[in-house]
Amino acid sequence: LVCPHRDGDFGEASLGDLDDLQRRIHDHRRRIPHAGYAHMIAGAGHGEAQAPPGARIFQRCYACHSLDPADRNLAGPTLRGVLGRRAGSVEGFEYSPALRDAGRGGLVWTEEAFDRFLDDPEEFVPGIRMGGVRLRDPAERRALIDWLKSVPR
């Protein structure tokens, strides 16, 4: 089992690590201003509706990104409100020079641009620091984008 960690290290994880990760996700999600989304991200409990596909896919992003704009100590910026935002523009986040330059050059995260980025970030913005993370399945990218659109700004 491969488990991404917030520091960008990808390594082997045991089932105990997964329990720890779920606890950390739960603890972290309690701090989100719109806590109603916690069940959508971490999955539904017994007797509840299944989490939307985009929320389940977001779990892959969670190692580096949050929906809470107050989370400033992550490897990636908040994804709350990403659609329609100029690339490299979250105040206080230290972007790679490549992403800052792309934003200054006019890159805005439209649905189409974000879809292409998720497919292969390092090809879409050469020089970006994403560590080879990508979503190759178009249906998964569409589900994630649709779900991110549903998250209140």
Side-chain angles (χ1 to χ4, degrees), residues 86-143:
R86 183 173 47 87
S89 66
V90 171
E91 189 68 34
F93 185 79
E94 189 173 326
Y95 289 93
S96 65
L99 201 50
R100 278 195 312 266
D101 290 345
R104 287 184 195 125
L107 176 60
V108 173
W109 295 125
T110 63
E111 290 181 41
E112 297 78 18
F114 201 56
D115 180 74
R116 288 181 49 213
F117 178 79
L118 292 170
D119 182 40
D120 193 341
E122 293 168 350
E123 181 179 300
F124 189 71
V125 181
I128 193 172
R129 302 180 308 230
M130 284 280 290
V133 175
R134 58 188 109 182
L135 285 175
R136 290 293 194 184
D137 183 334
E140 288 184 345
R141 293 193 308 270
R142 179 79 260 151

Side-chain angles (χ1 to χ4, degrees), residues 30-152:
R30 288 191 321 209
R31 296 179 292 150
I32 293 178
H34 299 282
Y37 284 91
H39 74 281
M40 293 170 52
I41 297 166
H46 182 68
E48 295 180 22
Q50 183 71 3
R56 290 191 309 270
I57 294 163
F58 181 77
Q59 290 177 348
R60 299 181 206 170
C61 309
Y62 177 77
C64 298
H65 298 276
S66 171
L67 294 176
D68 184 350
D71 280 345
R72 302 243 180 224
N73 296 321
L74 303 177
T78 181
L79 294 182
R80 181 181 296 271
V82 66
L83 297 171
R85 184 168 68 207
R86 183 173 47 87
S89 66
V90 171
E91 189 68 34
F93 185 79
E94 189 173 326
Y95 289 93
S96 65
L99 201 50
R100 278 195 312 266
D101 290 345
R104 287 184 195 125
L107 176 60
V108 173
W109 295 125
T110 63
E111 290 181 41
E112 297 78 18
F114 201 56
D115 180 74
R116 288 181 49 213
F117 178 79
L118 292 170
D119 182 40
D120 193 341
E122 293 168 350
E123 181 179 300
F124 189 71
V125 181
I128 193 172
R129 302 180 308 230
M130 284 280 290
V133 175
R134 58 188 109 182
L135 285 175
R136 290 293 194 184
D137 183 334
E140 288 184 345
R141 293 193 308 270
R142 179 79 260 151
L144 178 61
I145 290 168
D146 287 346
W147 182 74
L148 286 171
K149 289 187 328 187
S150 76
V151 174

